[in-house]
Amino acid sequence: MLKISKFIILMSIIVIGGCGTSNQTNDNQGEEGKKMVSTNMSVYELNNKLIFELSLSNNTDEHKQLQFPSGQQFEITVIDENDNIVYRYSEGKMFIMAIVMKELQPSETLNWSEEWDMKVNGERISAGTYTAIGELQIMAINEESVEREQFKVEKTITVE
């Protein structure tokens, strides 16, 4: 029992404490820099829409149980050059207000996607540079609280 408790404490420290940030990927790192879970986002234009693809990969040999605080599992926000929010995925949507659990098997990747017509109040957004922010709403992994910041990814996009 003592070994299991030490293992749980060690895993909690690794999951909560280890994280890194880059422009397109956010990684949770454990011992020796091994990435435990990594969050990625890609954004591309297709048929006059922006397609957002978020993913979470389990880079370990262990099962992960993800806990979300509601039916909203991710948020996507697009900000213009003046820091104005031009798109927020959750705006105008309703989500179930119950804890949602998802399983993430060893070496498995979960994917979420959303598309946006690039319109604000019925008008297409202006050409320019925007920042897309994708954030998974995970609040716990294997019943241990985690900081959401480690599941946040930013990407600069150019609209022509």
Side-chain angles (χ1 to χ4, degrees), residues 20-31:
T21 305
S22 69
N23 190 38
Q24 298 177 19
T25 304
N26 204 347
D27 301 319
N28 179 294
Q29 297 183 357
E31 293 178 13

Side-chain angles (χ1 to χ4, degrees), residues 31-76:
E31 293 178 13
E32 300 172 9
K34 181 180 178 186
K35 297 173 185 164
M36 295 183 61
V37 292
S38 55
T39 307
N40 295 291
M41 180 174 68
S42 62
V43 181
Y44 57 92
E45 189 172 347
L46 180 66
N47 298 326
N48 292 319
K49 294 181 180 182
L50 281 182
I51 310 298
F52 304 91
E53 294 178 344
L54 282 163
S55 65
L56 181 71
S57 298
N58 180 355
N59 303 311
T60 72
D61 297 334
E62 299 171 5
H63 164 267
K64 305 287 183 191
Q65 184 176 47
L66 311 174
Q67 186 176 12
F68 297 86
S70 71
Q72 182 184 2
Q73 296 176 21
F74 65 92
E75 180 68 87
I76 295 170

Side-chain angles (χ1 to χ4, degrees), residues 116-126:
W116 173 47
D117 63 6
M118 296 191 288
K119 292 182 180 175
V120 177
N121 299 323
E123 300 287 326
R124 181 170 160 80
I125 60 172
S126 304

Side-chain angles (χ1 to χ4, degrees), residues 95-110:
F95 300 95
I96 187 169
M97 295 306 292
I99 292 175
V100 174
M101 306 296 277
K102 275 209 172 221
E103 303 292 322
L104 184 58
Q105 300 300 323
S107 302
E108 181 182 22
T109 298
L110 293 176

